[in-house]
Amino acid sequence: MKSSGSRLLLVAPVAALALAAVGVAGTAGTAQAAPTPRPPRGDAVVKATPSLMAPKVAASATAAAPASAKLSLRGQYQSTNYKCVPTSASMSLSTFGVSVSQDTLATKMGTTAAKGTSGNQSLPVMNAYVDPLGYSYGFSNASTASTMMEQVSYDVGVLKRAPVLGVWMEKLPWNAGMSGSKVGHAIIAYGYNKSAGTITVWDPWKPTGGSHTISAAKLAADMQPYGLDKVTAHTDADLASVGDLTGDGTADLAGVDRATGKLWLYPGPKSAASGRSLIGNGGWNGMTELTGIGDLTGDGKPDLIAAQKSDGTLWLYPGGTKALGTRIKIGNGAWNGMKDLTGIGDLTGDGKPDLIAAQKSDGTLWLYPGGTKALGTRIKIGNSGWNGMTKLVGVQDITGDGKSDLIAVRVSEGTLWVYPGASKALGTRKELGSGWGGIRSLTYTGDITGDDKSDLIGVQSNTGVMYVYAGRATGFAARVQLTSGWNG
């Protein structure tokens, strides 16, 4: 029974509870009846750390939520009196298709019998699981019925994910008569009904928990300040540099709005949302691995590549003036078995831009020679181990040998490496820096900083702030904030 806020709520030991899993699948489960243990007092919870706050989601996205929704959920009860946060996190992560036990999460979160778990401990662990999937958790305030319904309906109804809620346990209606004040506890929300004004939650505390339906107003009144671990989709989960589609000589960006499936063009050099234009109607949230590829169609315009999630088909979208042309199939199924697709420039020496991709199953790295509206027979340029790397990005020559290079982040350490480009191969890698694990959507773009060198951009996962890393002869300079709001 510990807080998901930013401070620990100390709870004295009570009798340990046996773990039970109850199939909910859209219907209310029934918790075993048992006397409610006497909970002790807990410390007050302070406002969450600013760096872990959830970004604001656009009103158009929250309005897209249906009138009611309920997720299929396998409910869990916490195995001890101090594992409510890991247990709730385990259930929430299951709605992403992530299977991880409360015990594993408790270990990673540093949960202890004496101090429980804090939100500052739990959020980075949870985000490590969902950031690669294009989502993030962040603290959010839900102190009124309207804000509670708005935020839960977005997570559950639009994103199909269950947020974690930090509540005061003794205030919950099913704990009426419980002694204690400000006893921190974590539950999840997995359903709602707008017309009834209700939220469906799962409480992992076995004596009184299970599935309950509560009014949004009452739930808001029972919340800890900034206690909602809100799920947010990364608008730019498939952010891609597409070259100059606006005709102003500066490379532009394309980004998918996951809530609506629309594809937007953000003109360089500042990529401000105020200047964006629509280049793709709904359906782009069914695509993945967007990457600029250069000109494969021979019309002098840069093109875009994307893979279909459902069947693994690879498509080429010819670039136009602030637009994309009719797509061309350049790869049959199985491309959903590849990851980190990136244009790499010409490594084959035939004057055509090439594509690099890593095989998910065995971690091999492949080079696909560019052709005319097609890709040639692939060439292996890296043995197993590339599934331990992420955020692969093709960049211009930063090693001084006249060949395009590849950069990538090592997952286990968050270090950034450059792999020198060679003739149909890559050279010996060199480390460029550390601390890149919290950066997503790395994208190589044109000259943003005005020094005639192409730059790198990336988004801080927990804040949605976009940074530019100025290109240098042998790497990249310290980052500078470019714009914000890239989480929603």
Side-chain angles (χ1 to χ4, degrees):
M1 296 184 296
K2 294 298 182 281
S3 166
S4 61
S6 63
R7 283 279 306 278
L8 303 175
L9 295 186
L10 304 183
V11 180
V14 294
L17 302 177
L19 174 65
V22 177
V24 180
T27 60
T30 302
Q32 293 183 5
T36 303
R38 176 185 174 87
R41 294 176 61 87
D43 291 341
V45 176
V46 298
K47 186 176 179 179
T49 304
S51 64
L52 295 178
M53 294 293 291
K56 182 176 176 58
V57 176
S60 59
T62 58
S68 64
K70 184 180 284 187
L71 301 177
S72 179
L73 178 78
R74 182 172 173 79
Q76 297 181 41
Y77 293 112
Q78 58 198 82
S79 60
T80 70
N81 69 313
Y82 55 87
K83 287 185 179 177
C84 63
V85 174
T87 306
S88 294
S90 176
M91 289 187 284
S92 177
L93 288 168
S94 74
T95 63
F96 292 84
V98 174
S99 178
V100 56
S101 71
Q102 59 177 279
D103 292 335
T104 297
L105 290 172
T107 299
K108 291 186 175 184
M109 293 175 180
T111 303
T112 65
K115 295 184 177 181
T117 316
S118 76
N120 286 351
Q121 291 172 291
S122 63
L123 253 64
V125 173
M126 295 160 67
N127 278 328
Y129 286 98
V130 302
D131 181 68
L133 304 177
Y135 299 85
S136 63
Y137 290 94
F139 292 122
S140 184
N141 203 18
S143 57
T144 67
S146 60
T147 57
M148 174 63 71
M149 183 61 72
E150 178 184 89
Q151 298 191 70
V152 170
S153 65
Y154 174 73
D155 279 4
V156 174
V158 176
L159 301 184
K160 312 299 183 186
R161 316 299 179 193
V164 177
L165 297 90
V167 297
W168 300 124
M169 186 176 187
E170 76 282 359
K171 290 186 175 183
L172 297 172
W174 46 94
N175 290 328
M178 175 182 284
S179 60
S181 176
K182 291 191 174 180
V183 179
H185 189 46
I187 63 177
I188 67 165
Y190 71 99
Y192 67 91
N193 186 306
K194 288 184 179 180
S195 62
T198 56
I199 306 290
T200 302
V201 301
W202 182 274
D203 185 339
W205 180 239
K206 190 174 182 180
T208 59
S211 183
H212 293 278
T213 297
I214 181 174
S215 74
K218 175 58 177 167
L219 183 57
D222 297 346
M223 290 288 292
Q224 298 176 24
Y226 294 87
L228 176 62
D229 291 356
K230 179 177 175 54
V231 180
T232 308
H234 300 165
T235 300
D236 62 329
D238 288 313
L239 189 67
S241 177
V242 290
D244 180 21
L245 292 185
T246 54
D248 61 0
T250 305
D252 307 314
L253 299 176
V256 177
D257 186 326
R258 284 183 177 269
T260 64
K262 294 179 179 179
L263 183 68
W264 295 91
L265 180 69
Y266 297 83
K270 298 300 183 182
S271 303
S274 59
R276 72 180 186 176
S277 57
L278 186 66
I279 59 172
N281 292 317
W284 282 88
N285 47 7
M287 308 299 292
T288 187
E289 299 292 348
L290 273 67
T291 183
I293 188 62
D295 181 21
L296 284 186
T297 54
D299 60 0
K301 288 282 188 180
D303 305 318
L304 179 71
I305 280 179
Q308 191 94 31
K309 289 181 182 179
S310 59
D311 61 9
T313 302
L314 191 67
W315 296 92
L316 174 68
Y317 295 81
T321 301
K322 296 183 181 180
L324 296 175
T326 302
R327 68 182 187 177
I328 303 164
K329 183 188 289 190
I330 59 171
N332 292 319
W335 279 89
N336 46 14
M338 308 300 291
K339 74 180 189 77
D340 290 319
L341 275 64
T342 183
I344 189 63
D346 181 20
L347 289 188
T348 54
D350 60 1
K352 289 282 188 180
D354 305 319
L355 181 73
I356 278 180
Q359 191 94 30
K360 291 180 182 178
S361 59
D362 60 9
T364 51
L365 190 68
W366 296 89
L367 175 68
Y368 295 81
T372 301
K373 301 181 182 179
L375 295 175
T377 303
R378 69 181 188 176
I379 303 165
K380 183 188 288 189
I381 59 172
N383 294 319
S384 61
W386 282 89
N387 44 14
M389 307 298 292
T390 187
K391 305 180 179 75
L392 275 63
V393 181
V395 299
Q396 291 179 6
D397 179 27
I398 59 174
T399 55
D401 59 3
K403 286 281 189 181
S404 298
D405 302 318
L406 179 72
I407 60 172
V409 175
R410 186 174 180 82
V411 175
S412 60
E413 303 167 351
T415 47
L416 182 69
W417 297 82
V418 58
Y419 296 80
S423 178
K424 301 180 183 179
L426 295 175
T428 303
R429 71 180 187 178
K430 176 184 176 182
E431 185 175 342
L432 292 180
S434 59
W436 289 81
I439 303 297
R440 59 177 173 81
S441 298
L442 280 183
T443 306
Y444 196 60
T445 186
D447 178 23
I448 293 176
T449 54
D451 59 2
D452 294 325
K453 290 187 178 296
S454 293
D455 304 316
L456 185 69
I457 61 172
V459 176
Q460 186 77 38
S461 295
N462 58 2
T463 64
V465 173
M466 180 184 286
Y467 292 93
V468 57
Y469 302 80
R472 293 291 182 263
T474 57
F476 301 95
R479 70 184 188 180
V480 176
Q481 182 172 335
L482 185 63
T483 184
S484 60
W486 288 88
N487 271 358

